[in-house]
Amino acid sequence: MHPPDAILERTRQFMTSRIILTAAQLDIFTLLEKQPDSANSLFLQLGVDPRALTRLLDALVAAEVLDKKDGIYHNTGQSTLLSANHPETVRPMVLHMAEVWDSWSHLTEVVEKGEKPDLVPMTEKDDQTLEAFIGAMHVAGRQMAADIAADLDLSGYKKLLDIGGASGTYTIAFLNKAPGLSAIVFDLPRVLPMAESRMAENQMADRVELRAGDYNTDEMPAGCDLALLSAIIHQNSPEQNRSLYTRIHQALEPGGAILIRDHIMDEDRTNPPGGAIFAINMLVNTRGGDTYTFSEVKSDLEQAGFTDVALVREGKSMDCVVMAVKPS
């Protein structure tokens, strides 16, 4: 491929992405999972424009997301995962990406002005958007949580404080790894019903306490010897993180530890590449969020009183883990 063709191909990739996002928003993949169907039947079910829907379906076929035979559209192995009914559905993440789409379209303005002027934090958005976000975090985390838990030595810890724990994906993974561990999931009142449901599904309700609060302002629950910040620090400014570390240090039992799961950047801030791109996601979706280097995290943790700060797990996704200890 000639250099002009290669760069143009990369710039056009957003088109296929938008086609898939729209189809997911219309829930086309769930309908086709129930029954392969024609464009005429689908537009009657969806109440959309028939010509536009047909073009969308054909574009999905051209992108090898759907199959088409004798005018009947079928899911492929990939698009089956976009059905809401698939046991490992990724639809919540795709719906979240559709929400993120609008923020990314303002990137030029953000670079010019420093932030999106009319930015609405995720915690202030409507229930449907917040639920899609929490669902997306579960999709992203369900396998990663199990992998990270498998890599960590959780023996000796008695009680986990999962701060901003959402629906409890990491709590479940940690409790599966360590049968003697109990936990507190600490998150906003709007989020806790989702955690309650997931704990019930995983038969862990008797090992998990749900506590309502805002981790950026409220006092942390006491009595825990292990604290987890999973995909939290990138949402915050450095000042917010320093305050958060200090309040965690105050709440933890002496000898307890903090675990931070996130992108941890090299000092050049270009690796891992996913972290560099995710920093842009924070630029357009938060007021002060960013991805941070190990030296930045280490300095802030030590300022809060933690010692023995170490990068205990490296990764190319958001699967790096930093650990630090509250002295006895």
Side-chain angles (χ1 to χ4, degrees):
M1 184 180 290
H2 296 297
D5 295 332
I7 192 63
L8 288 174
E9 178 63 25
R10 294 185 74 177
T11 62
R12 285 191 290 260
Q13 288 174 358
F14 80 93
M15 296 180 182
T16 301
S17 177
R18 182 65 257 183
I19 289 166
I20 296 170
L21 294 176
T22 294
Q25 287 179 305
L26 294 172
D27 214 6
I28 287 171
F29 306 107
T30 302
L31 291 175
L32 292 178
E33 183 69 10
K34 294 176 181 176
Q35 178 181 317
D37 218 337
S38 68
N40 285 339
S41 175
L42 287 169
F43 95 75
L44 289 173
Q45 295 177 68
L46 294 169
V48 298
D49 181 84
R51 176 177 173 273
L53 177 63
T54 302
R55 296 296 176 269
L56 181 71
L57 292 167
D58 287 340
L60 289 163
V61 174
E64 300 181 351
V65 179
L66 294 181
D67 285 333
K68 181 182 182 181
K69 185 176 181 181
D70 299 327
I72 302 298
Y73 297 90
H74 305 253
N75 277 336
T76 63
Q78 283 189 337
S79 59
T80 297
L81 291 166
L82 293 163
S83 165
N85 296 329
H86 194 284
E88 296 183 1
T89 181
V90 298
R91 185 170 183 261
M93 176 60 80
V94 176
L95 293 179
H96 174 58
M97 288 297 102
E99 176 71 19
V100 167
W101 176 278
D102 177 64
S103 299
W104 275 79
S105 69
H106 292 273
L107 177 57
T108 303
E109 181 183 12
V110 170
V111 173
E112 290 173 344
K113 299 180 179 180
E115 66 176 30
K116 190 170 179 280
D118 59 348
L119 178 69
V120 178
M122 181 59 66
T123 54
E124 297 176 17
K125 294 189 177 183
D126 62 83
D127 289 344
Q128 184 177 0
T129 300
L130 182 62
E131 186 172 348
F133 172 72
I134 299 298
M137 296 309 98
H138 177 65
V139 168
R142 56 194 171 198
Q143 185 56 55
M144 187 184 294
D147 293 342
I148 289 174
D151 282 351
L152 297 175
D153 181 5
L154 301 176
S155 61
Y157 295 106
K158 297 178 180 178
K159 195 163 190 178
L160 168 71
L161 175 60
D162 190 352
I163 300 162
S167 61
T169 304
Y170 277 79
T171 289
I172 291 166
F174 279 35
L175 267 57
N176 278 330
K177 169 70 182 293
L181 194 65
S182 63
I184 297 174
V185 174
F186 183 64
D187 214 322
L188 298 170
R190 297 171 64 196
V191 174
L192 292 183
M194 290 177 257
E196 184 176 24
S197 175
R198 189 146 284 138
M199 294 307 153
E201 290 172 8
N202 287 270
Q203 292 80 49
M204 287 190 174
D206 59 336
R207 296 173 63 190
V208 180
E209 182 183 351
L210 306 178
R211 293 272 195 96
D214 183 337
Y215 61 71
N216 273 323
T217 57
D218 293 338
E219 184 178 342
M220 298 288 164
C224 298
D225 58 355
L226 183 64
L228 174 65
L229 289 173
S230 176
I232 297 297
I233 68 169
H234 64 244
Q235 303 176 51
N236 287 348
S237 67
E239 293 78 16
Q240 287 174 312
N241 281 330
R242 284 191 284 270
S243 171
L244 181 57
Y245 298 154
T246 298
R247 284 178 289 112
I248 294 170
H249 185 273
Q250 292 169 347
L252 269 179
E253 293 293 298
I258 182 174
L259 295 171
I260 297 172
R261 192 275 298 184
D262 221 297
H263 286 297
I264 301 296
M265 305 301 295
D266 66 6
E267 294 305 312
D268 196 41
R269 304 196 66 86
T270 57
N271 279 296
I277 293 172
F278 198 81
I280 302 298
N281 195 40
M282 293 299 94
L283 193 65
V284 297
N285 283 295
T286 68
R287 292 199 174 97
D290 204 349
T291 53
Y292 297 98
T293 66
F294 175 71
S295 63
E296 289 170 333
V297 174
K298 182 175 185 288
S299 175
D300 288 345
L301 284 169
E302 289 176 342
Q303 185 175 318
F306 288 98
T307 62
D308 302 314
V309 185
L311 183 63
V312 296
R313 191 180 198 273
E314 297 186 47
K316 294 185 178 181
S317 300
M318 202 184 296
D319 56 347
C320 301
V321 179
V322 173
M323 186 175 187
V325 176
K326 176 179 178 177
S328 299

